[in-house]
Amino acid sequence: MKNKAVVLGANYYIGLSTIRCLGVHDVHVAAVDYSWDGAYGLESKYCSEALIGPHYKEDPEGLLSFLIDYSKRQDHTPVLIPTADPYVEFVDAYLPELREHFLIPQKEQGLYTKIMDKGTLHTLASQHGVAVPETVNVYQENFVEKVEEMMDYPCLVKPVDSPAFVSKFRRKLFKVYNKEELIEKVNLAKESNIEVIVQRIIPGFDDHMYTFDAYLNQDSKVTHWVTCQKLRQFPINYGASVYTQQKHVPELYELGAKFLEGIGYKGFAEIEFKKDAQTGRYYLIEINVRITNLNHLLYKTGINIPWITYRELIGEPLDPKAVEEDKNMVFWYAYEDLLAVREYIKTGQLSIKQVITSYFRPKAPAIWDPKDPKPAMAFGKKMFGLVKGKVIKRS
């Protein structure tokens, strides 16, 4: 392959999976991170070049120059793939400049950010006939009364900009049980200059969470897709996938494809839906516009998103494909799943028997790969260091 692939982010398993999905097809992968420390994806045998550049938040202009300088040294235009939300925000902010030197699916600057923003996303969804949970803007007058009129407690205080919220509070949202907690958490967010909204909780356990994962070509048409069902997440109830199965749900295609094609989206996107346990209706919760946590599961079921992206951008698109059967395979991020299982059992949401029974299935591990073991070893070393540090700190 003449065109190199530049993967942004190597300190998490999403970046690692992206590197592997391209490397197995002999693509020259240049992985970029801001530090060697903890960037276990750089240890992959499929990583052709390990590049340490400026930090996306501390020096975005420096990172832009770093990437452009790299591209100028290449004989063919590289494909650029961000694997974390902050990198997506960076790409969106400098999309015109980056598109002069890289192959990138999206052409419309601001669309990535608009979709990641919960407020504008809900407006878009409503315009295209997709249900979203009842939502209240905390900056409107008498917002507390509005919340109590539209929904019951408990309810959710959610960020408009998820990366900033997670960076500050180390969680995805606040769950509040009364008026006092609602006001407290909203004020806490305001003090940190983080915009939030209040949202109704859609009834149903974590296995009522589903995903529609799709790739849209440059004509904004879905060419590849698969649907999945979450079984466990961490933090429990309102976290990221840690144990998720591929599950064919045709209705999600009808909802998801119509919406993404309607807004003129290009490239990969993952829509998270929650199925109302009382009504059976699917509600759009959020959209990930970077490679998903479940990427290795999608690959194992026959949908290699990084490779699909790469091939289309170099002008050699793959034939359309959808996974329209249940393959009985699960994605497993063992480290956080074990933490989640402890909490599920502790809170009585799952029994030990239910957990043990769930493990007897073919798995797509987040990190471990017998053909590429070094990243898992580096991850283990990182975890050992963290545990050792905590023990020393306590003693």
Side-chain angles (χ1 to χ4, degrees):
M1 296 294 171
K2 296 179 180 179
N3 304 75
K4 294 181 179 180
V6 176
V7 175
L8 300 181
N11 63 359
Y12 198 50
Y13 61 81
I14 300 176
L16 170 62
S17 178
T18 303
I19 292 167
R20 286 170 170 167
C21 281
L22 293 166
V24 294
H25 290 286
D26 296 322
V27 175
H28 181 109
V29 180
V32 180
D33 215 296
Y34 55 83
S35 172
W36 278 101
D37 186 31
Y40 52 87
L42 300 179
E43 302 290 340
S44 173
K45 72 176 185 179
Y46 299 108
C47 178
S48 306
E49 283 183 89
L51 306 175
I52 304 300
H55 194 283
Y56 50 79
K57 288 287 187 183
E58 297 173 1
D59 187 14
E61 293 283 347
L63 178 57
L64 177 65
S65 298
F66 177 85
L67 292 173
I68 290 176
D69 288 344
Y70 178 83
S71 177
K72 287 180 176 179
R73 297 195 299 270
Q74 311 310 313
D75 294 328
H76 299 87
T77 306
V79 173
L80 187 65
I81 302 179
T83 65
D85 289 343
Y87 281 116
V88 172
E89 293 178 331
F90 165 79
V91 170
D92 204 25
Y94 297 100
L95 189 60
E97 297 94 328
L98 288 169
R99 281 189 58 84
E100 292 181 12
H101 303 277
F102 291 91
L103 301 175
I104 303 171
Q106 196 54 254
K107 295 180 179 179
E108 180 186 339
Q109 185 178 25
L111 185 58
Y112 282 146
T113 304
K114 190 183 297 184
I115 291 173
M116 293 172 70
D117 182 297
K118 299 295 189 300
T120 51
L121 171 60
H122 288 182
T123 300
L124 281 173
S126 298
Q127 291 173 348
H128 290 269
V130 180
V132 294
E134 290 79 353
T135 303
V136 173
N137 186 324
V138 301
Y139 295 94
Q140 64 179 284
E141 190 176 353
N142 300 322
F143 86 90
V144 174
E145 289 78 4
K146 196 71 173 176
V147 167
E148 295 178 337
E149 175 187 325
M150 294 179 63
M151 62 193 80
D152 297 323
Y153 293 109
C155 55
L156 306 176
V157 176
K158 300 179 66 174
V160 167
D161 178 8
S162 291
F165 188 93
V166 172
S167 177
K168 175 66 178 179
F169 299 113
R170 312 310 301 172
R171 62 182 67 189
K172 293 182 70 173
L173 50 80
F174 294 129
K175 186 176 182 180
V176 297
Y177 292 83
N178 52 52
K179 177 179 179 179
E180 290 70 30
E181 286 189 7
L182 171 62
I183 295 172
E184 175 195 350
K185 297 303 184 184
V186 167
N187 286 338
L188 188 62
K190 287 181 176 180
E191 289 168 6
S192 300
N193 293 317
I194 296 176
E195 186 177 353
V196 292
I197 56 177
V198 183
Q199 198 169 84
R200 178 174 77 91
I201 296 176
I202 304 301
F205 180 57
D206 290 1
D207 61 3
H208 282 62
M209 293 293 300
Y210 293 82
T211 67
F212 171 68
D213 297 272
Y215 187 84
L216 288 85
N217 64 16
Q218 291 300 295
D219 294 322
S220 296
K221 297 296 181 184
V222 172
T223 58
H224 298 77
W225 64 274
V226 59
T227 56
C228 302
Q229 179 186 17
K230 286 188 181 184
L231 299 178
R232 295 192 289 271
Q233 47 191 351
F234 185 79
I236 65 171
N237 306 137
Y238 302 102
S241 297
V242 294
Y243 203 72
T244 298
Q245 67 176 350
Q246 177 270 323
K247 181 75 173 176
H248 180 52
V249 186
E251 188 175 350
L252 297 183
Y253 170 78
E254 300 300 326
L255 292 170
K258 178 183 177 182
F259 173 69
L260 292 173
E261 292 177 354
I263 64 174
Y265 192 83
K266 297 175 177 62
F268 173 75
E270 177 185 78
I271 305 180
E272 288 195 9
F273 290 96
K274 186 166 186 181
K275 184 178 182 180
D276 191 312
Q278 297 173 356
T279 67
R281 190 180 191 189
Y282 289 97
Y283 287 82
L284 185 152
I285 303 299
E286 66 179 13
I287 299 182
N288 293 313
V289 293
R290 41 78 181 154
I291 301 298
T292 172
N293 298 54
L294 311 176
N295 187 60
H296 190 48
L297 174 63
L298 307 192
Y299 166 71
K300 296 283 279 188
T301 58
I303 304 293
N304 185 338
I305 293 298
W307 178 234
I308 292 166
T309 304
Y310 178 89
R311 286 288 298 267
E312 195 210 4
L313 293 179
I314 66 170
E316 301 175 8
L318 297 172
D319 291 335
K321 183 178 181 180
V323 180
E324 298 181 283
E325 60 179 319
D326 293 335
K327 294 181 178 290
N328 192 39
M329 183 171 288
V330 294
F331 163 79
W332 188 33
Y333 182 27
Y335 169 65
E336 287 193 348
D337 184 44
L338 294 175
L339 298 176
V341 163
R342 182 180 63 181
E343 294 302 312
Y344 282 119
I345 294 174
K346 182 179 178 181
T347 57
Q349 297 181 57
L350 287 175
S351 67
I352 295 176
K353 181 179 179 181
Q354 287 174 311
V355 172
I356 293 175
T357 302
S358 73
Y359 282 128
F360 292 94
R361 304 175 65 177
K363 298 178 184 65
I367 299 174
W368 173 249
D369 184 342
K371 296 180 181 179
D372 186 30
K374 289 182 68 176
M377 295 176 184
F379 176 77
K381 183 179 179 181
K382 174 185 175 182
M383 290 297 101
F384 177 77
L386 291 174
V387 172
K388 181 180 177 181
K390 288 182 180 179
V391 171
I392 294 175
K393 187 175 181 180
R394 288 175 183 173
S395 60

